[in-house]
């Protein structure tokens, strides 16, 4: 596990078919001892694994102290066949968050894992336009602990 603030973490997948993303969750440890903190959720897409990324959907939720699965809420976004997508969760300096990863894994939906995405200097203002060059990505087989709920 790793802990830090001003971070974005997510997994990069290449889509097969046109699934509808209902929601996704990230397994996090939130240190909310100074109060609640904001989690920022993003569904990003690109025709290239290295971006630039289009913000297809975003939302903000409030997290309190504790470790467990934190959920994005309802999404309802249809993905395009062949696109690369990032399921990302982010937080700023109002709380420290511990995030978890594994050396291998898969989501189980009709997609192929293409690495992970990260931003070690996350600022919500960088993700408010329709297109962003961030986050960076790596082609590693490593995955952050996430669950995706989808409909084929």
């Amino acid at each position: 596990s790793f802990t830090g603030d001003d971070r974005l973490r997510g997994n990069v997948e290449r889509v097969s078919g046109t699934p509808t993303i209902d929601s996704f969750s990230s397994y996090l440890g939130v240190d909310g001892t100074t109060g609640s903190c904001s989690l920022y959720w993003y569904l990003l897409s690109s025709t290239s694994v290295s971006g630039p990324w289009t913000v297809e959907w975003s939302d903000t939720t409030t997290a309190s102290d504790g470790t467990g699965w934190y959920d994005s809420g309802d999404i309802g976004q249809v993905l395009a066949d062949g696109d690369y997508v990032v399921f990302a969760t982010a937080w700023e300096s109002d709380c420290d968050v511990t995030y978890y990863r594994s050396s291998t894994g898969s989501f189980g939906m009709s997609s192929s894992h293409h690495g992970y995405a990260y931003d070690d200097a996350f600022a919500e203002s960088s993700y408010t336009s329709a297109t962003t060059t961030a986050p960076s990505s790596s082609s590693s087989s490593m995955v952050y602990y996430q669950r995706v709920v989808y409909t084929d």
Side-chain angles (χ1 to χ4, degrees), residues 10-12 101 113-118 136-140 142 144:
N11 292 305
V12 180
R101 66 185 188 190
H113 183 65
H114 278 267
Y116 61 93
Y118 61 94
S136 300
S137 60
S138 169
S139 61
S140 167
M142 190 270 311
Y144 292 110

Side-chain angles (χ1 to χ4, degrees), residues 12-102:
V12 180
E13 299 289 315
R14 185 148 195 206
V15 180
S16 294
T18 55
T20 299
I21 301 303
D22 300 320
S23 67
F24 69 96
S25 303
S26 293
Y27 191 80
L28 305 168
V30 175
D31 180 358
T33 55
T34 58
S36 61
C37 62
S38 296
L39 294 179
Y40 303 94
W41 301 88
Y42 298 96
L43 180 59
L44 309 172
S45 71
S46 178
T47 56
S48 168
V49 71
S50 58
W53 299 97
T54 299
V55 179
E56 298 290 350
W57 173 90
S58 66
D59 200 7
T60 305
T61 60
T62 302
S64 56
D65 195 37
T67 299
W69 290 102
Y70 289 87
D71 190 73
S72 66
D74 294 336
I75 297 175
Q77 179 70 42
V78 177
L79 302 181
D81 186 44
D83 274 1
Y84 294 89
V85 294
V86 175
F87 300 95
T89 309
W91 53 92
E92 291 182 304
S93 60
D94 58 344
C95 64
D96 279 337
V97 173
T98 300
Y99 49 97
Y100 301 84
R101 66 185 188 190
S102 176

